[in-house]
Amino acid sequence: VLLSAYGPDTARQLIEVAAPPTESTPAGDGRRAVIGVSGFVSDPALTWAGRNHIQLFVNGRMIRDPRLTFAVVQAYHTLLPVGRFPLAILFIDLPPQEVDVNVHPTKVEVRFRDEGAAFGAVQRAVRAALMESTARRRKRRRRTGPLTRSTTRLCESALRCSSAALADLKPS
């Protein structure tokens, strides 16, 4: 679905979020909620001018929640230019009694029993996926190594020679 909706170039730049369900800190009533977060977020290089590419689902239901949207944006703290936003498709799973879906007639707005726990779970899951992705890219870069100065000079020389050879082939 992501491939058909956003295309192959965008799909290649998505990072999987697969945070196992974790217990939140106790709410005011002393209970802990088990919250799972999964889905995909964009590489920090892939951004949009608005937040409308952040899609959230709670227990399979699409929702709009400015606080959870902010949790996604906050997870990218220092990774995005000002005024730019990521793509995110996130599925938040928690016990039904921890979320009230009867807040809005169309049921797109919800109320969490412990908003802080939901916020923290989303923010931590997205940030962990971003950091893991960054670490993998660095490891790959180290394995292949940066171009050395001599390799760079060799490539530049080859390009100059190719350009000169092509110029000689052009009819006058």
Side-chain angles (χ1 to χ4, degrees):
V1 174
L2 290 174
L3 183 63
S4 63
Y6 287 100
D9 292 336
T10 299
R12 267 188 237 106
Q13 295 183 62
L14 295 179
I15 300 164
E16 185 174 10
V17 176
T22 56
E23 281 192 7
S24 68
T25 56
D29 58 5
R31 294 177 336 128
R32 293 176 180 263
V34 178
I35 303 172
V37 180
S38 61
F40 294 90
V41 293
S42 62
D43 184 274
L46 181 64
T47 64
W48 276 266
R51 295 176 179 88
N52 55 334
H53 291 278
I54 299 174
Q55 301 295 319
L56 303 169
F57 298 83
V58 171
N59 294 342
R61 178 191 307 268
M62 186 173 146
I63 65 154
R64 282 192 312 245
D65 189 303
R67 293 169 302 269
L68 291 186
T69 299
F70 182 68
V72 173
V73 173
Q74 189 65 29
Y76 280 83
H77 182 67
T78 73
L79 300 174
L80 296 178
V82 173
R84 302 300 293 181
F85 302 93
L87 174 141
I89 295 93
L90 293 175
F91 300 91
I92 300 121
D93 294 307
L94 66 162
Q97 66 271 18
E98 296 297 321
V99 61
D100 180 7
V101 296
N102 296 314
V103 175
H104 191 272
T106 62
K107 301 195 187 294
V108 293
E109 293 177 19
V110 297
R111 184 177 298 125
F112 295 96
R113 178 172 280 201
D114 186 355
E115 288 180 18
F119 182 97
V122 168
Q123 185 183 32
R124 280 190 304 274
V126 172
R127 188 68 177 187
L130 291 169
M131 294 300 102
E132 185 179 316
S133 173
T134 302
R136 275 196 311 266
R137 270 187 273 137
R138 281 190 185 134
K139 190 182 244 184
R140 249 191 326 249
R141 212 176 304 137
R142 253 186 256 127
R143 217 175 327 147
T144 57
L147 287 176
T148 61
R149 217 174 270 152
S150 59
T151 306
T152 304
R153 276 193 232 118
L154 181 64
C155 291
E156 289 170 351
S157 297
L159 286 172
R160 276 195 301 275
C161 291
S162 297
S163 298
L166 285 173
D168 290 341
L169 293 174
K170 287 184 183 175
S172 305

